[in-house]
Structures are given as C-alpha cells and as structure tokens.
Amino acid sequence: MQVRLVSVTTPLIELEGQQTTPEGLIAYCARVSSPHQESAGYAKLLAYCIRNKHWSIFEMADMTVEIVTSRAIAPQILRHKSFSFQEFSQRYAKAQAIEKYQPRRQDDKNRQNSLDDLPAETVAWFEEAQEKVAAAGMELYEAALERGIAKECARVLLPLGTQTKLYMKGSVRSWIHYIEVRTDKSTQKEHRDIADAVMKIFTEQFPVTSQALGWKG
C-alpha cells in the first residue's frame, strides 16, 4: 500500500498582499456576500461552517492523491461516487506485482470486522497459500501473453491481490466524508490503512480545517 499527494488547488488571488492558501480560497468564496471578502483570516469562519454543517463551501478546493493497492481494495475506493478516478488499465499494460495480506480471523458477531488473533500455523499456511496462488496466476498470465492472448483476456487469470494504481480527485468536502467513513473500524483494515495515510496528507494540506474537525493526522 502506498499513498502520496499529487496535487492540491493553487489559488491565483492574493489576500492582504499574501498568496492565498487552498483554505483561504474556501473562505474567500464563502464570503462572497460579505464586505470582508478580502480578509486573510479564516480559522473562525471555517470552524463555524463545520460546526453548523455548511459543507458547500468545502467544494471550492480539490486534492488529488495517488494510491497503490490491490484489485481487492480498489472497488471499495471506487464506490465513492463524488470523486473522479483514473486507474491503471490491465487492458493496455502488463500487471507487475501481487500484494500479500496478513490474515485475520472472521469476527463471529460482526461481519464487518476481523480479529488479529490467528495461530501462527494458520498465518504461515495463508502466507504459503498466497505465494502459490501468486506464482501460479502470474505464470499462467505470462504464458497467455506469450501465446498472443490479449491483455484484456489474460488478466482473468490474475488473483484479486494483483497490484493496481489509481488517482483519486475530489473536493475537500468529499475528502472529509471519505476520511470519516473509511477510518472507522468497520472498514477493512487494508482500506483503513489507506484512509489513515490520506488523513495524514489532508491534515498537512488543510491544517485549519483538520483542527476544526478534531483531526490530528
């Protein structure tokens, strides 16, 4: 799993002689009806809007991140419809790697939860099973390509652990929702790790908003 910042909205306006930050742009747009639109201060305004659920102003700035994960997790991410995505295509490029998971036990009381208490021998068995599936899948995939079978067909031989890369772009409002939902313990751990990494990036890029939300990154 890898997550990195690709881009964030860069405002072209200045407020009180200083280059505006993405959060400053949010505040500038929020003050469209105010005589104090040119004010550079915005911490209290953003906190007020969050406290009173005035979410529309947070659509004025965007952030794009690059995510490297498995084909098992990518569909969960793509489910967030308010974002725009570009994903690595196995129709046009060869699959290169397969990710491995640390096994966990299914929680008998909660289908959305798993527990990290499996015996060592079960963990070792699962590790070996993944290696066998990865080796067999990649070997057959390569053999299919050598026989002239199109990548879009050969990919059916690959396991869900096959690595993919996607770019995820959304407004600050969308990222707030995504982080709140996907850092919750009901989210699969592998996806939650991605959301935690996104949250760290978000708090660096939008520190005032994050503080108002009570996030520390």
Side-chain angles (χ1 to χ4, degrees):
M1 182 277 295
Q2 301 172 37
V3 180
R4 67 168 181 160
L5 178 68
V6 173
S7 70
V8 66
T9 297
T10 302
L12 299 179
I13 61 172
E14 292 185 356
L15 295 178
E16 296 183 355
Q18 297 181 349
Q19 185 62 41
T20 309
T21 66
E23 289 179 312
L25 175 65
I26 292 172
Y28 179 82
C29 294
R31 290 178 173 134
V32 62
S33 302
S34 169
H36 306 293
Q37 189 176 19
E38 300 292 332
S39 173
Y42 51 79
K44 290 183 179 179
L45 173 61
L46 298 190
Y48 172 86
C49 290
I50 288 173
R51 188 166 59 251
N52 291 278
K53 304 186 185 303
H54 298 325
W55 297 115
S56 62
I57 69 164
F58 295 98
E59 296 173 1
M60 296 295 105
D62 292 339
M63 182 174 79
T64 302
V65 300
E66 177 188 87
I67 300 171
V68 178
T69 185
S70 70
R71 283 284 182 175
I73 300 301
Q76 297 180 17
I77 298 173
L78 294 169
R79 198 173 297 151
H80 291 266
K81 303 298 186 181
S82 63
F83 290 86
S84 296
F85 296 96
Q86 288 293 324
E87 186 179 7
F88 176 87
S89 174
Q90 291 178 348
R91 291 188 65 199
Y92 306 120
K94 283 179 59 177
Q96 300 294 327
I98 295 177
E99 294 192 356
K100 295 180 182 178
Y101 283 16
Q102 182 73 16
R104 299 177 298 279
R105 179 175 63 84
Q106 178 65 56
D107 189 336
D108 296 330
K109 298 179 180 179
N110 183 354
R111 290 186 302 171
Q112 290 186 308
N113 190 43
S114 57
L115 306 171
D116 190 15
D117 60 359
L118 287 171
E121 57 268 25
T122 301
V123 173
W125 176 88
F126 191 74
E127 177 74 16
E128 183 179 355
Q130 288 184 90
E131 290 179 356
K132 289 180 178 178
V133 170
M138 195 60 78
E139 180 181 351
L140 291 170
Y141 174 73
E142 292 287 352
L145 296 180
E146 289 175 4
R147 290 171 181 264
I149 295 174
K151 295 181 184 70
E152 65 183 24
C153 300
R155 62 181 172 174
V156 75
L157 299 171
L158 295 169
L160 277 177
T162 302
Q163 195 175 78
T164 187
K165 178 191 292 185
L166 57 138
Y167 295 97
M168 183 175 181
K169 182 186 80 73
S171 68
V172 171
R173 178 180 185 172
S174 292
W175 283 116
I176 290 172
H177 175 73
Y178 172 81
I179 292 168
E180 287 182 339
V181 171
R182 293 304 186 176
T183 56
D184 186 82
K185 63 180 181 180
S186 63
T187 295
Q188 182 175 336
K189 181 183 181 302
E190 287 76 16
H191 191 175
R192 196 164 66 244
D193 289 343
I194 291 171
D196 287 338
V198 168
M199 183 177 181
K200 185 176 186 301
I201 292 171
F202 184 93
T203 56
E204 292 170 351
Q205 299 300 316
F206 301 94
V208 175
T209 302
S210 298
Q211 183 176 8
L213 289 163
W215 296 351
K216 297 180 180 180

